[in-house]
Amino acid sequence: MNDSVPVLEVAGLSVELPSGADRKFAIEAMSFQVRPREIVCLVGESGSGKSVAAFTVMGLLPKALRPVAGRIALAGEDLLSAPPERLRDLRGSRMGMIFQEPMTALNPVMTCGAQIDEVLAVHTSLDPAARRARILDIMNQVRLPEPERLIDAYPHQLSGGQRQRIMIAMALVLEPALLIADEPTTALDVTTQAQILELIKDLQRDHATGVLFITHDFGVVAEIAHRVAVMQWGKLVEFGTTEDVLKRPRHPYTKMLISSVPGIVPRHRPRPETARPTVLKTEALGKTYADAAWFRKSRTVKAAESVSIEVRRGETLGIVGESGSGKSTVARCVARLIEPSAGRIWLAGDDIAGLSAGRLRPHRRKIQIVFQDPYRSLNPRRTVGESIVEGPMNYGLGRAEALARARSLMETVRLDPGSLDRYPHQFSGGQRQRICIARALAMEPELLIADEAVSALDVSVQAQVLELLDDIRQKLDLAMLFITHDLRVAAQVCDYVAVMSQGQVVEYGTAPQVFGAPRHDYTKALFAAAPGRNWEFGKFAAG
Amino acid sequence: MLAFVVRRLLATVPVLAMVAVFVFLMLRLTPGDPAAVIAGDNAMPDQVEAIRQKLGLDEPIVTQFFIWIGKALQGDFGESFFFKKTVAELIAQRIEPTVALAIVTLLLSVAIAVPLGVIAAYRQDSWVDRTVMAFSVMGFSVPVFVIGYLLIYVFAIQLGVLPVQGYRPIGQGLWPFFERLILPSFTLSVVFVALIARITRASMLEVMNEDYIRTARAKGLPERTVLLRHGLRNAAVPIVTVIGIGLAVLIGGVVVTESVYGIPGLGRLTIDAVLGRDYPTIQAVILLFSFAYVLINLAIDLIYVLLDPRIRY
């Protein structure tokens, strides 16, 4: 392949949004190139237009959006003026794409083999036997175990990582010149993410593929990119080598983004001199799920097993783990949203593990949770004021006092107290999460549980919400249980860290101990997989 | 899987038992005396009494029930009061027209409705979509007998291309058989086309927004393949559910249609039996209908397995 011709050249590309949108262009006057054997990361926060750019290249834009200016060339061939049939020929053969959600991106009713086979059947004239050989070969290349068996498996029988490998196999089976990867590892666990990133790097090198890799995660950028393009509000604000952009960012927005990336080294936190009173303590807490069956043996799943943790006033305990580790189960047992099946839960000296609903009621107020998805955890048909005052009024506070408390809490979470009569959809994601925090605080809890409370937020918003949470903990002297899959986030806010794997706490200690000298193999593996772990993201003054 | 089928078939026993008790009691509790109907308007009371004794209607209701159920369990549904034949013979005679009508209607409905629904979804908000949906609303609103008589008037009386009514068994030649089924099937299918097209459209619209449709397009598949192989197959479960419900409702609908088109099927038999207070026939026909409902539901559940590998029993 001629290395001087870029596999993808985008020049002056503008895509217009339908009238009535918050801005005129989804992307505006965008120019960049991807060279053969090169990985270009397109970075930006939600709404920056990075996915629109990818779909424009593939010719898969929704009808409401249309390119109005510029040029896109795939290995020299103009795409914007190409007829639809030609674009269809190129898709899957010369340019392939993989997506964020491996759970939903595969057709659930077709076998994995058949889905890869479609690409070959449409774009080549190979006979079925030759196609099958090609499929097995590419499945081997993406390091799927037992291709002979998985070729006939349905997507739901595979793990998330395996499904993403099937997607990659599908995109690369015809050795396209360009691979577009749209947040391909965002939905995966950190250890799986590390393997998939490694795989993409290896395949891209072996096949001389140019890769346009879309991500919001600077850790991933540090791990994989040769060059980085930063997008803000539809404009490409900075484009350069990874080294340059990450170490010497020039644009204020890039500086802000990189400064917002939480560091992986625990922040030094002052230790109280005297022992603080314990707010929450669990002893051998366990949760077992069993499905009753009439005609066969019932299956049991141990979601959590002998979990013993302790949180004192004014302290934050982080529970860190991958999906299915049991971290959310523990949070839900502690809040008694689900019934624990073993152990004790001491809340300020009372055992609440076995209390009946009626006896539990006075204790409910003391534990409040902030959930992951701020878009779904507020009732869309109630004003945020009503959502905030509902809890305290349930516990006997008068409406006037409750509203006064809501107003003061809006200030605490740095929102306009005058906006209490607005509805959730009138706020951004970060603002909604602040409202959720205010709602939780309105109950004057002793323990605040944050269940992946910042995971759905953009990195700059995430930094603000983390800071807010830490601020509130200090000011109100709260005990906080912080559930997260993100080691960087845990490093920033936790005094103590419990690492969970397969329902058990495998390592438990102060944040500096766990981060500085992990003892358990699983913890070590988790740290080794954290993207960008060898990269210290600098703090840059904006401007 | 086999265990599931066996379990489901066993579950039909209590259902049918309940239907049996219910039908039996309802018939005896409603006013009207079969003996009086058979004896005619001018019969003397002792004649009626004699008929009542002959039919066993003088026994206590509980005794009557156990005699009937005991024979039914051996496959003997007794003799019709009215037609002077065994009920089994009667049903055997009448089942072919009804089954033929139901199957032809079903095939016709699916053949028209599914493509219409798919096209409407693919061309959402275009004139095609609007026309299909307007037709669908109309199909729901116009009663079966109105459509029936309207079609007879146009095609049989004005144009004279199809027979007005009647039925020929399939044994007497394919065309005479079909010729007489076209109008009744079409009449019955109008409401199902409306229903199935609507569900197909809704289900397709939902599926076409799924991520794997985007994946299919990113693979460079032709739009037809995307639509049918990736779209329709995934949209099929709700469609099949509605077809199943439709088939069950269809069995009820044949009563009217068979009357309008003079088809000697189970629907007509039911009406005649009800008018004549012909207890054994009514009981047997309703039990047969319930058993058919249960079988249709089982068939739908089994089709789910074929359509979606994630469903396992």
Side-chain angles (χ1 to χ4, degrees):
Chain A
M1 186 176 287
N2 183 351
D3 277 13
S4 62
V5 180
V7 287
L8 177 68
E9 175 155 30
V10 172
L13 180 68
S14 293
V15 175
E16 205 174 64
L17 283 168
S19 56
D22 58 352
R23 59 181 197 249
K24 191 163 189 296
F25 294 103
I27 44 183
E28 193 177 352
M30 183 189 199
S31 300
F32 68 95
Q33 314 82 35
V34 181
R35 295 187 286 248
R37 298 166 210 281
E38 185 186 45
I39 300 179
V40 172
C41 270
L42 200 53
V43 198
E45 299 189 289
S46 46
S48 62
K50 52 195 195 302
S51 288
V52 172
F55 286 113
T56 314
V57 173
M58 291 294 285
L60 291 174
L61 275 183
K63 281 172 199 149
L65 303 180
R66 60 199 173 85
V68 286
R71 211 179 92 85
I72 304 173
L74 179 72
E77 180 177 351
D78 187 26
L79 293 184
L80 284 183
S81 63
E85 305 82 62
R86 177 62 188 155
L87 274 179
R88 214 184 60 215
D89 278 347
L90 292 172
R91 280 200 293 269
S93 61
R94 297 290 291 148
M95 50 183 179
M97 186 161 180
I98 55 182
F99 302 95
Q100 175 169 356
E101 281 290 340
M103 300 293 168
T104 55
L106 290 170
N107 187 337
V109 303
M110 282 172 79
T111 62
C112 295
Q115 297 193 50
I116 304 176
D117 184 64
E118 276 189 322
V119 182
L120 296 171
V122 166
H123 296 291
T124 69
S125 49
L126 296 173
D127 62 58
R131 295 207 300 261
R132 190 179 162 87
R134 275 289 277 278
I135 295 167
L136 289 172
D137 176 48
I138 191 79
M139 286 176 83
N140 262 317
Q141 286 189 50
V142 297
R143 296 168 213 156
L144 278 164
E146 302 176 73
E148 290 280 358
R149 185 174 64 83
L150 291 191
I151 197 170
D152 293 318
Y154 287 97
H156 70 274
Q157 297 164 323
L158 272 56
S159 71
Q162 288 175 332
R163 288 184 223 194
Q164 200 57 296
R165 284 169 202 270
I166 294 285
M167 279 299 293
I168 295 172
M170 213 148 79
L172 292 184
V173 66
L174 287 175
E175 308 212 345
L178 174 71
L179 173 70
I180 299 178
D182 187 1
E183 304 258 11
T185 59
T186 307
L188 302 175
D189 276 328
V190 51
T191 45
T192 316
Q193 164 169 286
Q195 294 163 7
I196 296 288
L197 289 179
E198 200 58 38
L199 175 71
I200 291 176
K201 268 201 283 194
D202 289 354
L203 289 173
Q204 170 267 344
R205 200 177 43 236
D206 298 347
H207 296 261
T209 319
V211 177
L212 180 61
F213 194 107
I214 296 167
T215 183
H216 68 280
D217 185 339
F218 275 94
V220 172
V221 174
E223 207 64 35
I224 198 168
H226 298 121
R227 290 196 293 165
V228 185
V230 182
M231 285 191 78
Q232 178 195 22
W233 286 97
K235 293 198 183 90
L236 199 149
V237 295
E238 189 152 359
F239 186 36
T241 65
T242 308
E243 182 85 8
D244 277 347
V245 173
L246 293 191
K247 287 217 170 123
R248 294 173 290 279
R250 289 192 314 273
H251 194 277
Y253 180 69
T254 318
K255 289 179 183 173
M256 188 277 288
L257 277 184
I258 295 176
S259 306
S260 304
V261 178
I264 202 159
V265 178
R267 224 190 314 175
H268 175 71
R269 297 161 72 97
R271 191 55 58 76
E273 288 109 44
T274 52
R276 311 298 310 274
T278 299
V279 174
L280 173 80
K281 188 174 174 173
T282 69
E283 282 171 23
L285 182 68
K287 175 69 189 172
T288 308
Y289 288 100
D291 62 336
W294 284 12
F295 295 101
R296 57 179 164 76
K297 247 175 94 174
S298 66
R299 280 180 297 235
T300 57
V301 179
K302 284 185 175 154
E305 204 182 350
S306 27
V307 174
S308 301
I309 50 171
E310 186 174 358
V311 196
R312 284 182 288 270
R313 184 175 287 173
E315 285 180 356
T316 302
L317 167 66
I319 301 184
V320 177
E322 298 188 296
S323 53
S325 64
K327 56 189 193 302
S328 285
T329 305
V330 170
R332 275 162 209 187
C333 282
V334 165
R336 282 290 307 269
L337 293 178
I338 51 176
E339 302 296 309
S341 30
R344 291 164 176 279
I345 303 168
W346 298 97
L347 180 69
D350 300 306
D351 182 7
I352 61 162
L355 286 188
S356 66
R359 304 269 303 282
L360 187 64
R361 203 179 126 80
H363 297 285
R364 284 248 187 242
R365 186 191 59 77
K366 299 179 197 161
I367 305 179
Q368 292 299 314
I369 307 193
V370 178
F371 294 98
Q372 172 168 5
D373 191 340
Y375 288 87
R376 291 192 306 185
S377 46
L378 286 169
N379 186 335
R381 303 212 190 287
R382 312 194 98 191
T383 64
V384 301
E386 280 173 62
S387 287
I388 295 175
V389 301
E390 187 182 21
M393 284 175 67
N394 250 337
Y395 279 87
L397 197 67
R399 189 174 173 83
E401 289 107 307
L403 277 171
R405 189 187 285 178
R407 268 190 293 274
S408 94
L409 280 171
M410 289 292 270
E411 268 173 52
T412 311
V413 299
R414 293 164 211 160
L415 287 173
D416 174 15
S419 56
L420 278 178
D421 54 355
R422 296 205 302 192
Y423 288 90
H425 70 265
Q426 293 168 294
F427 295 89
S428 71
Q431 287 174 328
R432 275 185 238 196
Q433 203 58 305
R434 287 163 195 271
I435 293 165
C436 291
I437 294 170
R439 190 202 53 72
L441 293 179
M443 301 292 281
E444 303 189 318
E446 292 173 26
L447 176 73
L448 185 66
I449 301 176
D451 189 357
E452 298 275 12
V454 297
S455 308
L457 305 175
D458 276 325
V459 56
S460 59
V461 183
Q462 184 180 63
Q464 294 163 10
V465 173
L466 280 176
E467 197 195 307
L468 174 70
L469 279 172
D470 212 40
D471 217 36
I472 287 167
R473 175 191 58 85
Q474 272 176 9
K475 231 185 263 171
L476 304 181
D477 208 19
L478 277 176
M480 203 149 86
L481 192 57
F482 199 94
I483 316 289
T484 185
H485 71 281
D486 190 330
L487 293 169
R488 292 174 177 278
V489 167
Q492 292 311 299
V493 296
C494 299
D495 301 294
Y496 292 87
V497 174
V499 181
M500 284 193 73
S501 170
Q502 296 175 2
Q504 289 179 317
V505 173
V506 296
E507 186 150 3
Y508 188 15
T510 66
Q513 274 170 6
V514 174
F515 280 80
R519 287 192 306 270
H520 194 275
D521 286 345
Y522 177 74
T523 318
K524 288 179 191 163
L526 213 54
F527 283 119
R533 65 202 161 278
N534 301 322
W535 199 289
E536 186 51 43
F537 292 98
K539 302 290 169 204
F540 303 96
Chain B
M1 184 72 150
L2 190 70
F4 169 76
V5 174
V6 171
R7 211 157 59 226
R8 282 290 295 268
L9 286 176
L10 284 178
T12 63
V13 175
V15 172
L16 292 181
M18 272 190 315
V19 171
V21 174
F22 194 69
V23 173
F24 194 87
L25 285 180
M26 283 303 283
L27 284 178
R28 263 94 188 149
L29 292 177
T30 44
D33 183 349
V37 175
I38 293 168
D41 289 344
N42 304 321
M44 304 310 271
D46 55 330
Q47 282 178 298
V48 175
E49 190 52 40
I51 294 174
R52 194 173 288 142
Q53 266 179 29
K54 197 179 130 228
L55 298 178
L57 292 172
D58 56 338
E59 302 280 345
I61 288 182
V62 178
T63 315
Q64 287 185 40
F65 179 74
F66 280 107
I67 293 173
W68 172 65
I69 205 80
K71 285 187 175 166
L73 283 177
Q74 298 161 33
D76 176 9
F77 286 91
E79 189 172 309
S80 162
F81 295 167
F82 204 65
F83 296 97
K84 310 292 173 224
K85 279 182 185 166
T86 66
V87 172
E89 270 180 304
L90 264 180
I91 289 179
Q93 273 176 8
R94 301 297 194 94
I95 203 164
E96 188 199 289
T98 299
V99 169
L101 185 62
I103 289 177
V104 173
T105 304
L106 190 73
L107 294 180
L108 195 69
S109 304
V110 172
I112 298 173
V114 172
L116 276 186
V118 171
I119 293 166
Y122 184 59
R123 296 246 171 266
Q124 192 192 0
D125 290 333
S126 69
W127 66 268
V128 186
D129 183 24
R130 280 179 234 281
T131 312
V132 170
M133 285 305 102
F135 167 81
S136 161
V137 171
M138 233 169 61
F140 279 125
S141 331
V142 184
V144 173
F145 66 88
V146 173
I147 298 171
Y149 287 123
L150 209 72
L151 287 176
I152 291 179
Y153 180 75
V154 173
F155 288 97
I157 298 174
Q158 290 297 311
L159 300 176
V161 287
L162 291 166
V164 174
Q165 55 173 18
Y167 177 79
R168 287 280 170 78
I170 195 164
Q172 296 181 18
L174 218 51
W175 176 242
F177 166 77
F178 268 120
E179 195 183 32
R180 284 167 180 77
L181 274 180
I182 291 174
L183 285 184
S185 293
F186 198 78
T187 307
L188 264 179
S189 72
V190 169
V191 73
F192 297 113
V193 170
L195 183 69
I196 297 169
R198 208 159 238 281
I199 294 292
T200 305
R201 175 180 178 272
S203 188
M204 280 297 283
L205 281 179
E206 203 182 308
V207 166
M208 293 309 279
N209 275 324
E210 293 284 345
D211 287 355
Y212 49 79
I213 297 297
R214 192 178 57 186
T215 307
R217 292 204 171 113
K219 287 198 277 194
L221 299 181
E223 205 53 29
R224 244 177 70 98
T225 316
V226 175
L227 210 55
L228 298 181
R229 194 187 295 165
H230 293 267
L232 188 56
R233 170 100 194 266
N234 276 289
V237 164
I239 301 175
V240 167
T241 310
V242 163
I243 293 175
I245 296 170
L247 189 58
V249 176
L250 194 71
I251 298 178
V254 295
V255 175
V256 177
T257 317
E258 286 180 359
S259 302
V260 171
Y261 287 99
I263 296 173
L266 288 177
R268 277 268 299 286
L269 180 64
T270 312
I271 291 183
D272 293 343
V274 169
L275 292 178
R277 304 275 157 207
D278 191 353
Y279 292 171
T281 312
I282 302 175
Q283 287 160 4
V285 169
I286 290 180
L287 268 187
L288 181 69
F289 280 171
S290 344
F291 189 59
Y293 283 137
V294 175
L295 283 190
I296 290 168
N297 273 313
L298 177 61
I300 292 169
D301 284 344
L302 294 180
I303 292 173
Y304 286 165
V305 178
L306 298 179
L307 289 174
D308 191 337
R310 286 167 299 181
I311 298 174
R312 283 277 165 272
Y313 298 117

